[in-house]
Amino acid sequence: MEKIKYQKLVDKHTPKENILLNALIGFIVGGFLGVVGEVLVELYSYYLHIPSKDASVFMIVTLIFIGCFLTALGFFDNLVKFAKCGLIVPITGFAHAMMSAALEYRKEGFVTGLGANMFKLAGSVILFGVVSAYVFGLLRIILIG
Amino acid sequence: MTNTYNNVYINDTITIAGPYEAKGPLGSYFDKSYKDLYFGEKAWELAEIKMLTNCIEMLLDKIKMKNNKIDALISGDLLNQNISSNFTAAKLGIPMIGIYAACSTSTLGLIIASNMINSGVAKNIICSVSSHNCTSEKQFRQPVEYGGPKPKRATFTVTGAASALVSSKKSKIKITSSTLGTVVDAGIKDAFHMGAVMAPAAAKTIYTHLINTKTKPSDYDLILTGDLGRYGKDILKDYMKEEYNMELNNLDDSACMIYDINNQEVYAGGSGPACIPLVTYGYILDKMKKGKLKKVLMVATGSLHSQASVNLKQTIPAVSHAICLEATL
């Protein structure tokens, strides 16, 4: 059978993913997480008497801690399976990716296991985050000055 | 290559299952099951080695034979450098043939053993395989604790180990023929959709076996494929019809049998080298011994990709090996 014809046969039997439903769940959960973040920013700036710029750093650290902690307790993956991009796209997804890799390779040693593999999933986020920050920073200087 | 055998039998088998498989519909047919995925070890790789070692030791106990009476151990698994099998062999001290045919390793092992026994070069051979859900997730996919969503067509690797003693001593289960499969590349790149990757290889092996042994699908009580999953099974049926003009009415797939695929969270079904032997040695042989099935074609299927080949965007080749079991009642 030709490969194109076989691909058609495969497509006929391949189940469709619920893209709309997944997007809706992601939108709602992600939005809710945004609200939580905003509340945290307000609380930190109100009670610690710090500007909201500093408070948002506190908020990010808090969310990363929660993401890592729940991953380490072993049930964050089930939450992610349900909420999908609602928890993966925000900073919690980054924390989850890093922590799950760290847990996985911890037993292969601190240097050869944990150190070498912790950023297996999240490494790309860091690398291309730095690269794009550099590019956009450069653009900003060139365009706005 | 198709071979027929006169004096090759499966004498005894041992199956060990993980917790998920034990909760499945065939749970009561396994000889032993573990309650967690570590089995008292500190890492999953060590757990898989322990499970396979335990499986072969239980078989030696059951058949009341010493290690030195076994001429060869033919064993394979999914891990790099076949470490589960090789480390097990190191503990047992039986001459070792390590094989890799991904999820079709079980039938490849039986074929090699049958040829050796039939030609008289060996008397007693143990064929074994193992797979572990967490070790394969770690090696082929993503960290186990990472919860990124998977598509419905993905499969769930079976945790289990199975071993069988093959010899020329008469028993209720006879191996009558086998077909060594060719590697088929159907042009699929999607490593999640292993059913689609492997269906053409299974079809080719089934067709070759039927032609070479001059049989029809209806001559078998059951044609049991390895781990195509619920979608791959439908693809195979359609593909058989279109490519070879053959209806497979008595086809079943062990990926759909080992789990309750509607209620257990296993996507399209089970996969892994342990999938088809757990179903066959645990459940099918039991039915054959009770006379409910007489002739079964066991067609294990394997997807031959690695993480590197997938990242390099290569199409995935697959292989399938068939072995025909008959009840001698």
Side-chain angles (χ1 to χ4, degrees), chain B residues 118-138:
Chain B
N118 199 54
S119 63
V121 296
K123 276 185 186 146
N124 301 303
I125 297 178
I126 291 180
C127 296
S128 65
V129 288
S130 71
S131 54
H132 190 295
N133 183 279
C134 300
T135 57
S136 359
E137 283 293 315
K138 184 176 170 185

Side-chain angles (χ1 to χ4, degrees), chain B residues 172-231:
Chain B
K172 286 179 181 171
I173 309 293
K174 188 177 184 187
I175 299 177
T176 51
S177 55
S178 73
T179 294
L180 198 64
T182 44
V183 176
V184 176
D185 187 341
I188 304 290
K189 290 182 180 175
D190 182 359
F192 278 119
H193 208 346
M194 290 199 285
V197 170
M198 300 184 296
K204 191 168 186 186
T205 300
I206 294 172
Y207 180 75
T208 312
H209 187 83
L210 295 177
I211 294 296
N212 289 349
T213 55
K214 297 189 178 65
T215 48
K216 340 184 258 301
S218 56
D219 292 336
Y220 298 85
D221 296 318
L222 175 69
I223 296 176
L224 181 74
T225 49
D227 48 0
L228 297 175
R230 61 169 115 181
Y231 310 111

Side-chain angles (χ1 to χ4, degrees), chain A residues 9 13, chain B residues 228-239 251:
Chain A
L9 194 151
H13 290 289
Chain B
L228 297 175
R230 61 169 115 181
Y231 310 111
K233 190 172 141 188
D234 292 339
I235 294 172
L236 174 62
K237 277 188 179 174
D238 271 15
Y239 187 85
L251 175 81

Side-chain angles (χ1 to χ4, degrees), chain A residues 12-129:
Chain A
K12 197 179 111 190
H13 290 289
T14 304
K16 298 273 173 297
E17 304 297 325
N18 306 326
I19 297 174
L20 272 179
L21 181 71
N22 290 349
L24 187 71
I25 295 173
F27 181 75
I28 293 170
V29 177
F32 179 72
L33 201 62
V35 173
V36 171
E38 193 56 38
V39 168
L40 282 175
V41 170
E42 292 298 323
L43 286 177
Y44 279 132
S45 65
Y46 182 78
Y47 284 106
L48 301 178
H49 309 292
I50 49 174
S52 51
K53 201 179 167 191
D54 292 346
S56 60
V57 176
F58 280 46
M59 177 272 291
I60 286 174
V61 172
T62 311
L63 290 184
I64 289 179
F65 174 76
I66 293 173
C68 287
F69 188 63
L70 297 188
T71 305
L73 289 183
F75 61 85
F76 200 67
D77 53 332
N78 295 330
L79 297 181
V80 173
K81 262 179 215 155
F82 164 75
K84 302 186 174 75
C85 283
L87 286 175
I88 293 178
V89 176
I91 194 82
T92 46
F94 173 76
H96 177 52
M98 211 169 59
M99 195 63 192
S100 56
L103 285 171
E104 185 106 333
Y105 289 95
R106 160 68 189 87
K107 288 165 197 122
E108 292 180 27
F110 274 111
V111 175
T112 47
L114 192 136
N117 292 295
M118 187 165 177
F119 297 100
K120 213 172 183 182
L121 294 176
S124 318
V125 181
I126 297 175
L127 175 68
F128 295 110

